[in-house]
Amino acid sequence: MYVYRVKKPGLDTSKVFDADEIHDIILSEEDIKDAMYRELLPYCDKVQAIRHYYDIEKLKAESGAKSLHLSSIIGGVLSFTGTKPNGQSVTISKSDAEIARKHATCVPIPRFATGAKRMTYRSGSMTTSAMWRTQATTS
């Protein structure tokens, strides 16, 4: 079991971050509903982080498909499979770079970021009081 020390990372809460810019633990609003993660809330900065999505609607319009879903990612090529309104199947394959350039959309969403540093490792299970004692002796 690892013991971590957590702290507020001190991020600029007015800035919209790309997720790659945040080098700390990132939690969603859904994560914070879990009691285990909720305890981290006092040590979090609430920030806006950009989430990248494939624009399936744009791909459907371009290919004339009624339905479309991601079917594979192989060697930097994404393939989408679906059906046209007449029932005919359709497959679209595009490079990751082309998808990112032409068929991706970015949406800022709220995230909670906390800094964490692994302090020590203990095998077996530890009680909460043992974890606090371990952290105090390694500080």
Side-chain angles (χ1 to χ4, degrees):
M1 173 197 307
Y2 291 102
V3 177
Y4 290 87
R5 174 176 289 156
V6 297
K7 65 175 184 167
K8 275 194 169 198
L11 298 172
D12 181 358
T13 56
S14 65
K15 180 180 176 186
V16 177
F17 292 90
D18 193 288
D20 296 341
E21 293 179 286
I22 302 173
H23 303 288
D24 299 301
I25 295 173
I26 302 173
L27 303 169
S28 68
E29 289 186 321
E30 191 65 31
D31 291 334
I32 293 297
K33 292 177 184 175
D34 184 307
M36 179 177 73
Y37 295 120
R38 201 171 33 250
E39 291 181 17
L40 292 174
L41 204 51
Y43 308 101
C44 291
D45 286 331
K46 187 173 182 179
V47 296
Q48 294 289 317
I50 294 174
R51 176 74 190 256
H52 302 272
Y53 293 98
Y54 300 126
D55 193 342
I56 298 294
E57 294 304 316
K58 192 172 181 180
L59 284 164
K60 284 177 10 182
E62 182 181 282
S63 64
K66 176 179 76 171
S67 66
L68 203 60
H69 64 275
L70 179 63
S71 56
S72 69
I73 303 173
I74 300 172
V77 175
L78 288 81
S79 295
F80 298 86
T81 305
T83 56
K84 291 189 175 190
N86 63 4
Q88 181 184 7
S89 67
V90 62
T91 300
I92 304 167
S93 295
K94 296 190 180 275
S95 72
D96 188 34
E98 184 178 356
I99 291 290
R101 192 174 58 253
K102 294 182 181 177
H103 303 286
T105 185
C106 303
V107 178
I109 52 177
R111 290 289 190 231
F112 298 88
T114 185
K117 179 181 177 187
R118 187 168 66 201
M119 301 305 293
T120 188
Y121 174 79
R122 298 278 187 211
S123 60
S125 63
M126 296 175 70
T127 63
T128 304
S129 61
M131 283 191 282
W132 289 115
R133 285 194 306 273
T134 302
Q135 183 175 357
T137 60
T138 60
S139 299

